[in-house]
Amino acid sequence: MKYISTRGDVSGIGFIDAVLMGLATDGGLLVPEKIPHIPAEKLQAMSKLTYQELAYEIISYYVDGEIPQNELQEIIEKSYGTFRNSEVTPVHKVKDNMYLLELFHGPTFAFKDVALQLLGNLYSYIAKKTGVTINILGATSGDTGASAIEGVRGKEGIRICILHPHGKVSKVQELQMTTVHDESVLNLAIKGTFDDGQRIIKELFADLEFKNKYHLRAINSINFARILAQTVYYFYAYFQVAKEKDINSLNFSVPTGNFGDIFAGFLAKRMGLPVGKLIVATNENNILERFIKDGVYQPGEFRSTYSPSMDIQVASNFERYLYYLLDENAGAVTALMDQFKSEGKIVVNEEQLRQVKADFAAYSVEGEECLQTISKCYAETNYLLDPHTSCGVAAYETCNDPGEVCVTLATAHPAKFNESIERCNIEQPFPEQISQLFDKPQYLEVVEPVNDEIVRKLEKHFSSGQTK
Ligand SMILES: *Cc1c(COP(=O)(O)O)cnc(C)c1O
């Protein structure tokens, strides 16, 4: 298994190099040269596996022997041993034809842990094996930062710097990131939005001299390992539902921001999992919904919403999908991405738009509907949705046809977003791990969203790690 860039100027690199490279050196995203196809008999056999065993099977296709079996198994065991549920990502039946895939049983109570626990252990393994320096740089809309810090803190030879939009993340998200007191961790709160942070990171990673000098590694979902870890739970969910229900295919409704999680579902489908509709659920930051309806990908005005982890206008992983939409033609992807840079939008043709509509359904959820969905679900079933999952459930209600079975990805625990839950006049108990955060001191620096200033902070933070 080799990895190539969606822009065509990187090819033939193995799994470990793909993890280390993050963003491809030509500015594109790394994808597998060929997506493995899992035959039906093999799927049948996989349906009996535990989460960890299943993860090993799926991830093995992509690691392709670069990590010995026992060591890969150990990495997986360690990564999911931190989850509070023995099933890792259990499926909860809400009512007939409607299921939730609970992805929030990891250390930071959001689905990002599923990928970042694994990535943290992969980095640690690679650092030990190869002696390379791992300096992680990432931007977060809230959950990735906490989850990435949790994934690498205390691991030898790893430093991390996370940019988050100052005042635009939930209180619990902020506390989870900034109460970690460890010299390997630097939190920069930028006076701007997530898109500003993501743009800065992308520019710093594109500056190859800087990237190489400071051994910068990515934890954003531009890193293919994250996507890979997330494909596992699509398989797992399918097998759990199939155990109690006769299904030929299964829809998934996915709260979407950066297009990472939904792309993992797209990948699972390409690998042969009988996925029906992939429903893209967004909040008012609905660039993806507009694209799926009209074929025009154009950022709109940024809106702060009840579901801040999806307050994203430029979806990094979208380029991966574009690559498959354009029949794996890297030249065509490059042309469209250049057009995006110069004109600020991408327009696909009619035939391509038909394909987009065959691949995805989409629905954008306004704030009031998000809150109403939380209240209604709580009143009817006593299940408390977080505001991101609520967008997923609202999109399921709109896009799932009667007779179709759908799993909505429950991407976070409601306690992470109590600001939104309180607006529904619902009082919730906090898990112990979250309530104890409120008494801890915070460590962060507030900065302007200007590359130079951030570069200076990074140089200081990452060079202090070089002496080790
Ligand atoms: C990150 C996040 C999302 C969006 O996931 P993407 O991979 O960026 O599409 C949705 N819900 C929650 C709670 C998140 O943390």
Side-chain angles (χ1 to χ4, degrees), residues 127-140:
K128 272 198 210 109
K129 266 272 154 89
T130 64
V132 298
T133 306
I134 308 279
N135 285 333
I136 293 170
L137 176 61
T140 184

Side-chain angles (χ1 to χ4, degrees), residues 343-368:
E343 295 168 27
K345 68 176 174 186
I346 289 173
V347 184
V348 299
N349 67 32
E350 246 173 66
E351 190 194 331
Q352 289 158 344
L353 183 56
R354 260 198 302 280
Q355 184 59 48
V356 172
K357 287 180 194 289
D359 289 333
F360 301 105
Y363 183 67
S364 83
V365 182
E366 295 281 326
E368 268 319 301

Side-chain angles (χ1 to χ4, degrees), residues 2-31 66 119 123 126 132-137 201-202 204-208 211-212 215-225 320:
K2 296 292 178 202
Y3 293 82
I4 53 174
S5 165
T6 50
R7 306 222 183 148
D9 283 338
V10 177
S11 61
I13 67 169
F15 178 77
I16 288 178
D17 285 333
V19 171
L20 289 174
M21 191 179 282
L23 186 70
T25 46
D26 61 359
L29 296 183
L30 294 169
V31 287
E66 275 195 19
L119 188 56
Y123 273 140
I126 296 170
V132 298
T133 306
I134 308 279
N135 285 333
I136 293 170
L137 176 61
I201 299 286
K202 271 200 137 182
L204 296 182
F205 273 96
D207 179 347
L208 294 185
K211 177 180 175 185
N212 293 335
H215 311 280
L216 299 187
R217 318 293 176 188
I219 42 88
N220 286 71
S221 50
I222 54 175
N223 198 309
F224 183 74
R320 284 199 167 101

Side-chain angles (χ1 to χ4, degrees), residues 273-337:
L273 189 71
V275 174
K277 278 182 200 152
L278 281 168
I279 302 168
V280 171
T282 72
N283 59 28
E284 294 94 318
N285 296 290
N286 63 349
I287 179 171
L288 292 165
E289 188 229 16
R290 287 184 282 113
F291 171 71
I292 292 161
K293 298 241 148 95
D294 310 329
V296 180
Y297 180 84
Q298 183 174 29
E301 202 184 320
F302 176 87
R303 302 260 302 268
S304 284
T305 73
Y306 298 131
S307 44
S309 300
M310 289 155 44
D311 289 349
I312 293 173
Q313 287 286 341
V314 182
S316 271
N317 269 286
F318 180 69
E319 182 169 340
R320 284 199 167 101
Y321 172 63
L322 210 51
Y323 178 75
Y324 292 100
L325 180 66
L326 301 176
D327 295 323
E328 308 184 26
N329 179 340
V333 174
T334 308
L336 277 190
M337 292 314 292

